[in-house]
Amino acid sequence: NNPVMADVGTDEEVRREIWAGHVPIRLVLSSDEVSTLEPPLPFYVMAPRNSYLPLVLTQARGHFQSSVPVMASEADLWLEYEGIPLKWHLPTGMLYDMLAKAIDLPWNLTVHFQGFPQSVAMRLLNEEAMRSRFFHTMKEATCIRCGGTKRVNSLSVADTNQLWEAVKNHEYEAFWRVNNKILFGGPGDNTETRNIPIRVHVSGVVNQYQTSHPVGDGKATLGVMLNALLPDLFPSAKVQEGEGPEVVIQGVRPPLWTPLLWLSENLASIDSFLYVYVQTNQRS
């Protein structure tokens, strides 16, 4: 289900391969919440890596709703993997890379309608809240990249709506028609790309590292960034030899010499951040 780095083609080909990545998921209702004589059958779904789990859960809600107590609220729905509540605002592919084992296909997730883990997860009230969170994160990334949010704020209403609908429906062409304006600017936009917005997750570490790396001459590599952020894990001598912990971006294991700017332009998430997972000796 994951694209690979072998024989990398054009940027367009790479983007399409990344967009096509999916995670097969098997959803099971928590046994503690079954209110019928027999538990419902599992629900299977192919979830785009470059999307958010709630966007593929509409049918799953209906599938399980008749088997839970009447008072169960859809706003309280949450997912768990081996005791770990999933954070819906992280891209699905990133969650899978962080938490799942290579043999976990389909990815077995437990559905809950009760006992929302408020201390570790963000409650999703409705689609508008998800849309708001998406654009907030995109503005944050754009501010890091360009020093301001003009490229997002100046989108027309039609472009803004098209972008969100493309995210919801996982439509490549519609998404990139608008995202190109955000990444590279429209006619008359002379704003330079200053920094690369990055979020790094390290196995065994609860919180993510949000960072940026200056574009400079555009030759900075993945290894250079990781050496600056995590020198104990990626010492200079090891990075120069291309050695270090396993690094995963969008399900791909890019070599440390891969240009960071290229990664940001082609493997960034839909919210414009480049999500990097560093696998040490334990899972997150």
Side-chain angles (χ1 to χ4, degrees):
N1 74 100
N2 296 334
V4 294
M5 287 291 288
D7 299 322
V8 173
T10 66
D11 290 359
E12 174 71 10
E13 289 170 333
V14 171
R15 289 177 186 174
R16 286 187 179 275
E17 284 294 313
I18 293 299
W19 192 267
H22 284 68
V23 178
I25 295 177
R26 178 180 182 266
L27 297 166
V28 178
L29 181 62
S30 172
S31 58
D32 296 339
E33 299 176 32
V34 176
S35 62
T36 51
L37 290 175
E38 295 291 332
L41 294 173
F43 185 88
Y44 292 85
V45 62
M46 287 291 287
R49 292 184 58 93
N50 216 0
S51 186
Y52 303 107
L53 282 173
L55 293 177
V56 299
L57 291 181
T58 304
Q59 289 177 296
R61 286 191 186 97
H63 178 79
F64 294 118
Q65 192 75 55
S66 61
S67 300
V68 297
V70 177
M71 76 284 292
S73 167
E74 288 191 18
D76 289 328
L77 186 145
W78 57 284
L79 300 177
E80 166 211 327
Y81 172 69
E82 295 189 350
I84 302 172
L86 301 188
K87 298 177 179 180
W88 66 262
H89 60 284
L90 291 178
T92 300
M94 183 62 177
L95 287 170
Y96 177 80
D97 293 339
M98 286 169 54
L99 300 173
K101 307 174 185 71
I103 59 172
D104 285 338
L105 288 175
W107 193 20
N108 290 291
L109 303 180
T110 302
V111 179
H112 294 269
F113 284 85
Q114 298 175 339
F116 190 88
Q118 240 169 265
S119 61
V120 293
M122 184 186 305
R123 193 182 298 274
L124 178 61
L125 298 177
N126 50 41
E127 182 186 318
E128 186 55 38
M130 190 187 311
R131 173 183 165 128
S132 176
R133 176 76 184 190
F134 166 75
F135 279 106
H136 173 82
T137 306
M138 177 166 273
K139 287 179 182 179
E140 189 177 0
T142 304
C143 189
I144 292 171
R145 179 182 289 108
C146 304
T149 59
K150 181 179 177 182
R151 287 185 180 174
V152 180
N153 292 337
S154 62
L155 291 176
S156 66
V157 172
D159 277 348
T160 302
N161 290 337
Q162 177 180 308
L163 184 63
W164 177 243
E165 288 301 311
V167 169
K168 276 176 55 181
N169 300 318
H170 199 59
E171 297 171 342
Y172 176 86
E173 303 283 358
F175 176 82
W176 274 100
R177 266 196 299 272
V178 181
N179 196 49
N180 272 326
K181 298 178 184 179
I182 296 171
L183 272 185
F184 306 110
D189 185 338
N190 298 316
T191 307
E192 291 186 0
T193 299
R194 303 177 184 178
N195 300 291
I196 297 168
I198 306 165
R199 288 178 171 173
V200 179
H201 292 255
V202 180
S203 60
V205 178
V206 175
N207 296 319
Q208 70 179 5
Y209 298 89
Q210 179 159 312
T211 187
S212 63
H213 197 87
V215 170
D217 59 5
K219 295 181 180 178
T221 64
L222 175 62
V224 167
M225 181 275 291
L226 289 170
N227 167 249
L229 181 66
L230 303 166
D232 291 342
L233 290 175
F234 295 91
S236 296
K238 290 286 188 181
V239 168
Q240 290 172 9
E241 297 296 324
E243 299 175 0
E246 184 176 77
V247 178
V248 183
I249 304 174
Q250 293 278 24
V252 175
R253 290 157 178 78
L256 294 180
W257 48 256
T258 308
L260 197 58
L261 182 60
W262 184 87
L263 287 170
S264 175
E265 291 176 349
N266 295 286
L267 272 70
S269 175
I270 47 176
D271 62 16
S272 289
F273 273 96
L274 181 67
Y275 287 84
V276 180
Y277 177 64
V278 177
Q279 170 63 53
T280 56
N281 58 356
Q282 55 183 323
R283 305 303 288 186
S284 297

